[in-house]
Amino acid sequence: MAISVAGGVKPAQIIDIEQRLLKRLIIGKDKAAAMADDINAELEDDANKLEIEREAIRERLAKQNQATAVFEAVSKQLISSVNTNIEHQLSSPEQVLTQSKLEQKQLALLEQLYLEPVDLGRVRQLVSALPWLERDLINIINSSTFRHRRPKSSDVQVTDIKLALNYIGIENLQALIPYFCLRNLMPSGQAQMLWLSRKLWRYAIVTALAAQALAKLHDKPSAFIYSCSLMSQLGTTCVISQCAKVFDDMWRAWLKEASVSRDKALFDAVMATEFPAADVYQQVLIHSQTLNWQLLSLLDFEQSRLANTFKAIDTSLKYADLDEDSALIERANCYAKVYLLKEVGCITTAESRLMFDYYQITEQEQIRLSGQNFRKLTLF
């Protein structure tokens, strides 16, 4: 007879399964399939070209013993410098916040969206204070997908944010705004980060959709659960973005120096050096969960419902000790991990059952989640 592990101190096998997915997201070389609502799609050609160029250089270096030695020495020194800089910056949540795109206005807006009733006037003020978000929402209104919902003047471009928000409606704003807030925080600008960002984004969307489905199943207001589930990737996103920026800045500086010196061996060695994903994975394990609530505290949101939920998830030793909101978000997170590991054949049936047993996912919840479309966030 199997012994249940439900809700107690997390067993090592559960930790291993969960870290297995994180390793695939950060270290894995597989290229996640593009989603209809993917991010950084325009970088795909650049990412492919850079990888082809690096691979060609590595193949050439492999045939030249002396060049290989230069590559290993230079690459080791560059990665060591990058890691030292990263460790220094991540040791201070204040520095992480300074380098991130997170700001008080975003948190205030997210908080407004799960209040009852939602103050659309206040939402409009906060959206107008975030130009990138205002642009994204207006683009949604003017897209071909949305135009058929607009009255008569569907061929006229909407430019007024008040009109745009009225067209979209509260329920859709509760789904769209957290979505755009997290997407704005995702690593960008580095072609080599495309695959990592894409996999992390898919994980975030699957988790949020699972949380939304569970909230509806249990007749709980889904706006907070969905928003909190999406933003639970905040710490991971900030750590990876910080690491990506440090690597990209140092890599470009070294590449420029090598180019100026006209040292082809040095240039090739720097060019072939890849983002230190394995080292970054370790930094995510150390910092991401704690940063979820520390960053909110630094922005004076330490007493918010979001911060309290993130802190509970980070500091509780047992799943059984979590409050209802935190427990539901953790069940959604569990389902997303199992779902994505199943996609790539990296989890057994027994391991799936163990995960569902620990997080106490009921048969009814499994049935509801198995019928969910996790390929796209359905709006309108």
Side-chain angles (χ1 to χ4, degrees):
M1 183 176 178
I3 300 174
S4 174
V5 296
V9 175
K10 190 177 291 187
Q13 192 175 0
I14 296 288
I15 295 172
D16 175 70
I17 294 167
E18 294 182 331
Q19 291 184 359
R20 194 182 305 164
L21 177 69
L22 195 59
K23 284 178 183 175
R24 289 195 67 86
L25 295 178
I26 298 175
I27 304 175
K29 295 286 188 179
D30 52 308
K31 300 174 181 179
M35 297 170 65
D37 51 1
D38 218 340
I39 59 172
N40 295 335
E42 69 278 4
L43 284 179
E44 188 157 352
D45 286 343
D46 290 339
N48 282 322
K49 288 173 186 175
L50 179 59
E51 186 54 37
I52 291 169
E53 190 172 356
R54 278 187 168 142
E55 187 60 37
I57 291 172
R58 284 193 289 268
E59 286 180 7
R60 188 168 71 247
L61 292 177
K63 297 175 183 177
Q64 304 170 25
N65 291 336
Q66 186 177 358
T68 301
V70 172
F71 164 67
E72 289 176 351
V74 171
S75 183
K76 183 178 179 180
Q77 188 179 350
L78 173 55
I79 294 303
S80 176
S81 299
V82 167
N83 284 337
T84 299
N85 200 320
I86 284 172
E87 287 173 10
H88 171 69
Q89 293 195 22
L90 293 180
S91 66
S92 165
E94 290 82 2
Q95 288 195 63
V96 175
L97 180 61
T98 300
Q99 295 296 324
S100 79
K101 299 176 187 175
L102 185 68
E103 50 187 316
Q104 281 185 327
K105 288 174 285 191
Q106 291 175 57
L107 298 177
L109 179 55
L110 292 173
E111 198 167 55
Q112 281 293 322
L113 289 169
Y114 56 75
L115 293 178
E116 294 183 16
V118 176
D119 182 346
L120 192 56
R122 179 63 178 148
V123 168
R124 184 175 69 251
Q125 290 175 354
L126 290 165
V127 169
S128 298
L130 296 164
W132 55 268
L133 180 57
E134 183 175 10
R135 181 192 64 241
D136 286 341
L137 292 173
I138 286 177
N139 285 342
I140 281 283
I141 283 295
N142 291 316
S143 69
S144 56
T145 306
F146 192 89
R147 279 189 183 178
H148 74 279
R149 294 174 52 85
R150 287 164 43 188
K152 296 179 182 178
S153 56
S154 60
D155 56 332
V156 177
Q157 290 281 307
V158 173
T159 57
D160 179 65
I161 189 59
K162 181 178 180 180
L163 186 59
L165 296 181
N166 286 334
Y167 276 145
I168 295 172
I170 293 296
E171 287 189 11
N172 286 322
L173 288 173
Q174 288 172 328
L176 276 173
I177 289 176
Y179 169 99
F180 282 131
C181 282
L182 180 64
R183 194 166 77 166
N184 184 59
L185 296 170
M186 281 283 170
S188 62
Q190 300 84 11
Q192 68 271 23
M193 293 300 298
L194 173 67
W195 314 125
L196 195 164
S197 296
R198 179 173 286 173
K199 288 184 288 184
L200 182 60
W201 179 243
R202 176 122 194 273
Y203 173 42
I205 292 297
V206 171
T207 306
L209 290 175
Q212 190 179 57
L214 288 177
K216 290 178 180 176
L217 175 64
H218 295 292
D219 294 321
K220 292 177 66 72
S222 62
F224 171 76
I225 296 297
Y226 165 83
S227 179
C228 187
S229 182
L230 259 185
M231 295 305 292
S232 66
Q233 300 305 320
L234 171 64
T236 299
T237 299
C238 286
V239 169
I240 294 173
S241 295
Q242 188 101 333
C243 294
K245 185 178 186 309
V246 170
F247 173 77
D248 198 55
D249 289 347
M250 296 188 75
W251 182 76
R252 290 182 188 281
W254 282 44
L255 205 61
K256 185 177 180 180
E257 288 181 18
S259 179
V260 170
S261 68
R262 298 190 178 183
D263 186 332
K264 188 174 186 329
L266 178 60
F267 184 90
D268 283 352
V270 175
M271 187 68 186
T273 300
E274 292 186 285
F275 180 70
D279 298 318
V280 171
Y281 163 72
Q282 294 297 330
Q283 297 295 342
V284 169
L285 286 181
I286 295 168
H287 297 288
S288 60
Q289 289 272 43
T290 306
L291 281 172
N292 274 347
W293 56 270
Q294 283 183 335
L295 294 176
L296 271 59
S297 295
L298 289 172
L299 290 170
D300 299 323
F301 279 82
E302 66 275 8
Q303 298 303 320
S304 69
R305 193 175 170 189
L306 271 177
N308 288 332
T309 303
F310 291 152
K311 192 168 186 177
I313 291 171
D314 179 39
T315 58
S316 294
L317 295 177
K318 300 178 182 178
Y319 168 79
D321 292 341
L322 294 174
D323 59 84
E324 285 187 27
D325 287 345
S326 305
L328 192 151
I329 287 166
E330 283 291 86
R331 292 203 301 281
N333 200 4
C334 163
Y335 190 87
K337 289 170 181 172
V338 171
Y339 177 87
L340 292 172
L341 284 170
K342 275 184 178 178
E343 270 194 342
V344 291
C346 284
I347 190 170
T348 66
T349 302
E351 288 174 330
S352 298
R353 283 199 299 267
L354 184 68
M355 290 282 284
F356 292 158
D357 180 34
Y358 178 76
Y359 286 103
Q360 301 175 11
I361 299 181
T362 66
E363 186 176 350
Q364 183 187 24
E365 289 174 332
Q366 290 180 50
I367 292 170
R368 174 63 64 91
L369 290 170
S370 66
Q372 176 72 38
N373 177 12
F374 290 110
R375 287 289 171 183
K376 186 179 180 182
L377 179 63
T378 304
L379 298 165
F380 315 125

